[in-house]
Amino acid sequence: MDFKETIQFIQEKFKSKDFIPLHNPIFEGNERKYVMDTLDSTFVSSVGRYVDRAEEMISQISQTQRAIAVVNGTAGIQVALRLVGVNPGDEVLTQALTFVATANAIQYNGAQPVFLDVDYDTMGLSPRAVSEFLEEFGERRETGTFNRKTGKRIAACIPMHTFGFPVHLDELMKLCRDWNIPLIEDAAESLGSEYRGKPTGSFGKVGVFSFNGNKIVTSGGGGMIVTQEEEIGILGKHLTTTAKVPHAYEYFHDQMGYNFRMPNLNAALLCAQLEQLSYFLDRKRRLAAEYSTFFESQGIIFRKELENTKANYWLMCVELGSLEDRNFFLEKTNGKKVMTRPIWQLMYRLPMYDHCQRDAQTNAEFLEQRIVNIPSSVTQEYQLVNSK
């Protein structure tokens, strides 16, 4: 297979034989109006009405009690870990098949990741892998769950909804309850995705979204922490705004905080993007359906949502037959200016994480050799005509 038909299909779909990016943002709503409003108001930094409005919008979209706007998703995970009680020297269960930010945020807290396998169907953290690890290494104590091999406390579990496909949350949540391990959803890629009719990010003790420039909605840079627990939300807002105690003029900070506030300028862009979220989701699902039909005709697996889930199809992907097929596909598509990218290298292949405890990674290594992301922007024929 030379993938000529695939390249032609994508070029026709995006109406271009020039460079076709992986995921291009669309600014066809109130973005310019809201950003100019912040400039006119002079409130462009971390105080302004768009920050409050963005938090309210995300709280409604994610069906959570509180949302805290932050500078990016990585910072959000870093703070989320602290909010659930992760301390230096602790361990956090997560997946090796993820973007590096997940592991980095753990290490920023002085903790260490333990890498467990993913499920083949979700490409996200496997409940079976977590269960097998805890049965072999877990030890329940009055002060929490500990790793018998290392003696360290297992202070949290972070599944990541890979490319917007929800993990098997029911099983993971039950395991975390049984072992008294807080669950944090790395929902950076899954805004708009659902599991059994509920939004991702709303299941864990804390959830975190990202609004980087390539996400389904963007604020240029930015993220959001969400939670169902009011006290966690209040503490999260306090910590991310330098832990400053409110006062008319005094500067008193009652603990180590972070200057992780989202600027009002970015929040204005985010509000305009969030107004179009349902539109983006609908158009991306149409593109996914067309991709699915096309790749089925080519004998190539196109990754689709599972029963009882709804994926946002942030980055769409295909599964090739082998590492050689994957590399050939990458070479041919990129050679024709159609941007495609392999899934991430597994975290334990990186020098700063090669010492971390891990399991066999059977599914993760299989997927690492076969999964490729393909152009996933809303295509031109579906773009919204700006009538506002």
Side-chain angles (χ1 to χ4, degrees), residues 298-352:
Q298 300 295 303
I300 297 173
I301 297 172
F302 176 77
R303 284 302 189 118
K304 294 185 285 188
E305 63 196 7
L306 302 182
E307 187 178 359
N308 295 319
T309 73
K310 184 177 181 180
N312 66 1
Y313 287 105
W314 168 53
L315 285 186
M316 303 176 206
C317 56
V318 292
E319 178 185 323
L320 282 303
S322 66
L323 178 61
E324 292 74 19
D325 289 343
R326 186 205 76 165
N327 291 343
F328 187 65
F329 182 89
L330 289 166
E331 177 187 345
K332 291 298 180 181
T333 51
N334 284 283
K336 291 294 184 179
K337 299 181 182 179
V338 173
M339 186 176 181
T340 60
R341 287 291 182 268
I343 204 167
W344 316 279
Q345 291 190 32
L346 301 178
M347 291 298 100
Y348 56 81
R349 301 198 195 282
L350 306 182
M352 59 281 199

Side-chain angles (χ1 to χ4, degrees), residues 350-368:
L350 306 182
M352 59 281 199
Y353 299 119
D354 61 3
H355 63 287
C356 294
Q357 187 176 1
R358 60 182 173 89
D359 60 10
Q361 300 288 308
T362 304
N363 289 329
E365 292 187 355
F366 178 91
L367 294 167
E368 181 191 31

Side-chain angles (χ1 to χ4, degrees), residues 26-264:
I26 294 174
F27 303 119
E28 295 287 347
N30 286 313
E31 290 88 352
R32 185 178 298 275
K33 175 183 176 182
Y34 293 168
V35 170
M36 292 303 297
D37 185 39
T38 64
L39 297 178
D40 292 339
S41 74
T42 74
F43 286 94
V44 297
S45 190
S46 55
V47 176
R49 65 188 182 96
Y50 286 106
V51 175
D52 296 335
R53 184 180 171 194
E55 290 177 339
E56 292 169 0
M57 293 176 78
I58 287 294
S59 180
Q60 292 175 0
I61 290 167
S62 64
Q63 297 178 20
T64 54
Q65 292 299 311
R66 287 294 298 264
I68 304 104
V70 290
V71 292
N72 54 55
T74 310
I77 299 173
Q78 180 180 349
V79 176
L81 288 160
R82 183 170 167 187
L83 290 173
V84 304
V86 174
N87 296 314
D90 288 339
E91 292 180 341
V92 177
L93 307 181
T94 192
Q95 57 203 69
L97 189 68
T98 185
F99 182 58
V100 71
T102 312
N104 285 347
I106 294 168
Q107 191 138 290
Y108 294 160
N109 284 272
Q112 183 163 292
V114 174
F115 296 121
L116 302 180
D117 204 4
V118 297
D119 283 320
Y120 168 78
D121 55 359
T122 68
M123 299 181 286
L125 187 63
S126 168
R128 176 179 292 183
V130 173
S131 177
E132 290 176 352
F133 176 85
L134 290 171
E135 289 298 328
E136 182 175 359
F137 297 106
E139 180 182 321
R140 294 180 178 90
R141 302 181 191 171
E142 289 186 4
T143 53
T145 297
F146 286 75
N147 184 338
R148 279 197 294 264
K149 181 176 181 179
T150 64
K152 295 181 178 182
R153 184 171 72 109
I154 301 173
C157 174
I158 305 182
M160 197 270 282
H161 302 301
T162 305
F163 306 139
F165 295 103
V167 300
H168 293 295
L169 279 163
D170 282 348
E171 296 93 327
L172 279 175
M173 291 173 64
K174 184 179 186 305
L175 280 166
C176 288
R177 285 194 301 267
D178 291 347
W179 287 89
N180 193 27
I181 299 172
L183 186 143
I184 297 170
E185 286 180 77
D186 183 346
E189 303 175 355
S190 68
L191 182 69
S193 296
E194 297 178 2
Y195 179 80
R196 298 190 183 278
K198 288 182 58 180
T200 56
S202 68
F203 292 85
K205 197 173 185 72
V206 183
V208 180
F209 296 107
S210 170
F211 310 120
N212 187 34
N214 66 351
K215 293 300 191 294
I216 191 165
V217 299
T218 182
S219 53
M224 198 77 69
I225 302 168
V226 295
T227 182
Q228 301 288 16
E229 300 184 28
E230 188 71 18
E231 289 185 4
I232 287 180
I234 293 170
L235 179 58
K237 188 70 170 180
H238 183 60
L239 290 177
T240 57
T241 53
T242 70
K244 183 181 183 294
V245 177
H247 192 278
Y249 50 83
E250 291 285 0
Y251 287 87
F252 180 76
H253 308 259
D254 60 3
Q255 55 186 303
M256 186 196 77
Y258 311 91
N259 189 11
F260 284 171
R261 297 170 288 192
M262 178 189 287
N264 196 41

